[in-house]
Amino acid sequence: QVQLVESGGGLVQPGGSLRLSCVASEIDLNTYVMAWYRQAPGKQRELVAEIRTTGRTIYADSVKGRFTISRDNAKNTVSLQMDSLKPEDTALYYCKAEHYRAPVNFWGQGTQVTVSE
């Protein structure tokens, strides 16, 4: 059974940093595009960052220069380093794995990030 488990969320002050981690079980990360999404109350889920099997990355304009996505295939782990956090970054962050050649995807349960004084 494929499972994605996120961790690292919490409460942080504006300008602070957090590092989210997503550990995947029973999945070959080499064949999956990994991504982080977020969803704030009353808003639709949006793509934050994505890293393809080649290592190529894309970011939402709102987080470019502040967030960094990375992957460690050997450890089946995807991370999201978040710096210079803003209140508008507050959301439930989800890890997603999508097969790079098939319409197969999996989601984690989410980890809460709250940016506030």
Side-chain angles (χ1 to χ4, degrees), residues 35-83:
W36 286 95
Y37 285 74
R38 67 186 181 188
Q39 186 168 25
K43 298 183 179 180
Q44 294 188 338
R45 190 171 299 184
E46 64 174 344
L47 175 67
V48 176
E50 179 182 281
I51 182 165
R52 295 183 174 272
T53 56
T54 60
R56 185 179 300 172
T57 59
I58 59 172
Y59 297 90
D61 289 340
S62 59
V63 307
K64 285 182 179 178
R66 300 189 298 118
F67 290 11
T68 303
I69 188 171
S70 61
R71 64 194 297 160
D72 186 338
N73 291 350
K75 296 182 178 180
N76 269 20
T77 301
V78 176
S79 299
L80 183 69
Q81 178 65 42
M82 305 184 294
D83 299 319

